[in-house]
């Protein structure tokens, strides 16, 4: 299956992607993860991208494009989840063109619907394990006591000002892609509120209905 997980920051794209990888053996392509790796490795792209990401802005298309293109081609053309890509109309058009050229169109764009107050709560209470990349929520799934507290950190872009900026950027640049994918006939809105497994089951329903027989 070829799917895009779509939605605002904090919609649960990363969490659901992890479940889809485990349960459906799909390959996960997250431009956010790729960019954070580039920052850690202090590559030239990473150093430039950091300036935008820390403020909650989108990384300019020319920087992200090469990384996305490489990642998508490396996973092969089947069985992947794109998470956090595309985020602009230009990226969506490139993706459609690329997949059409390889005769491998998307099966579904799963658009996670989450109210703004839930997003702000999730992001401001999100913590990440530096070593494993695992996400926690301070109230609902706090870091287990056996994890060294020194490994737990708050993403720079989960600071309140950056959260506000990311949501604004999402509404302006990314949300309009829903209309684009609706017109392409592959948009499936899914309620993203509730237990992780409940949301997963809603996604499964979409996948069962759209997967090739
Ligand atoms: P994420 O981990 O998906 O929340 O992404 C974190 C940050 O990485 C975003 O706020 C952007 O600054 C940057 N980023 C990730 N994916 C893209 C993309 N497709 N286009 C531009 N910037 C991106």
């Amino acid at each position: 299956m070829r799917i895009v997980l779509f939605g605002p920051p904090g919609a649960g794209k990363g969490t659901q992607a992890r479940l889809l990888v485990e349960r459906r053996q799909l390959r996960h392509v997250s431009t956010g993860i790729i960019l954070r790796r580039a920052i850690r490795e202090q590559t030239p792209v990473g150093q430039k991208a950091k300036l935008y990401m820390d403020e909650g802005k989108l990384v300019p298309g020319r920087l992200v494009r090469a990384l996305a293109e490489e990642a998508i081609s490396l996973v092969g053309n089947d069985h992947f989840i794109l998470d956090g890509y595309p985020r602009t109309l230009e990226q969506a058009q490139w993706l459609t063109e690329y997949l059409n050229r390889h005769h491998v169109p998307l099966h579904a764009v799963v658009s996670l619907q989450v109210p703004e107050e839930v997003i702000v709560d999730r992001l401001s209470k999100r913590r990440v394990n530096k070593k494993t990349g695992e996400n926690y929520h301070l109230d609902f799934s706090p870091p287990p006591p056996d994890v060294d507290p020194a490994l737990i950190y708050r993403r720079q872009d989960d600071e309140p000002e950056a959260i506000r900026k990311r949501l604004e950027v999402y509404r302006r640049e990314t949300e309009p892609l829903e209309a684009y994918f609706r017109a392409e006939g592959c948009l499936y809105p899914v309620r993203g509120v509730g237990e992780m497994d409940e949301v997963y089951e809603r996604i499964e329903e979409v996948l069962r209905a759209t997967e090739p027989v």
Side-chain angles (χ1 to χ4, degrees):
M1 292 220 75
R2 293 176 292 273
I3 60 178
V4 168
L5 273 180
F6 186 81
K13 301 187 294 292
T15 303
Q16 294 301 326
R18 193 166 48 74
L19 297 180
L20 285 160
V21 167
E22 274 167 30
R23 299 175 188 179
R24 275 192 168 254
Q25 284 74 50
L26 299 176
R27 306 279 301 271
H28 183 202
V29 177
S30 155
T31 39
I33 291 178
I34 296 170
L35 286 165
R36 281 189 290 279
R37 188 183 314 130
I39 292 176
R40 269 202 312 279
E41 292 171 357
Q42 302 190 341
T43 67
V45 170
Q47 284 169 345
K48 292 198 192 95
K50 185 174 187 331
L51 304 174
Y52 297 91
M53 288 171 73
D54 282 353
E55 285 189 27
K57 295 180 181 162
L58 289 185
V59 175
R62 66 194 146 73
L63 293 181
V64 106
R65 164 95 173 248
L67 294 178
E69 215 170 316
E70 189 191 356
I72 294 170
S73 62
L74 278 181
V75 298
N77 290 329
D78 253 321
H79 308 299
F80 62 74
I81 314 160
L82 290 178
D83 156 12
Y85 191 93
R87 265 176 153 101
T88 63
L89 194 57
E90 189 210 1
Q91 292 177 4
Q93 285 164 341
W94 174 79
L95 179 67
T96 307
E97 191 267 320
Y98 173 91
L99 296 176
N100 285 344
R101 190 158 19 102
H102 292 84
H103 309 289
V104 286
L106 291 171
H107 295 107
V109 173
V110 174
S111 175
L112 292 171
Q113 313 284 315
V114 181
E116 187 138 332
E117 63 275 14
V118 177
I119 292 174
V120 172
D121 177 81
R122 282 184 185 171
L123 293 180
S124 55
K125 293 184 182 159
R126 174 162 70 180
R127 296 294 181 273
V128 185
N129 185 323
K130 215 182 281 181
K131 209 153 110 191
T132 62
E134 202 171 340
N135 283 343
Y136 308 105
H137 182 283
L138 291 181
D139 298 336
F140 303 129
S141 55
D146 59 335
V147 173
D148 177 0
L151 292 177
I152 306 301
Y153 77 106
R154 181 184 202 168
R155 272 170 51 171
Q156 183 95 26
D157 60 355
D158 284 342
E159 299 290 339
E161 186 53 25
I163 292 176
R164 206 188 49 73
K165 182 74 192 169
R166 284 160 76 198
L167 285 170
E168 179 195 313
V169 168
Y170 175 77
R171 302 283 175 233
R172 192 178 61 235
E173 310 242 11
T174 308
E175 202 169 45
L177 299 192
E178 281 203 318
Y180 173 87
F181 286 119
R182 191 175 299 115
E184 296 269 311
C186 58
L187 185 81
Y188 296 87
V190 163
R191 212 161 70 82
V193 180
E195 293 290 321
M196 184 169 91
D197 280 314
E198 276 168 13
V199 177
Y200 180 80
E201 201 35 54
R202 293 178 204 135
I203 296 177
E204 264 295 328
E205 265 173 45
V206 169
L207 301 192
R208 283 195 289 269
T210 55
E211 76 189 324
V213 276

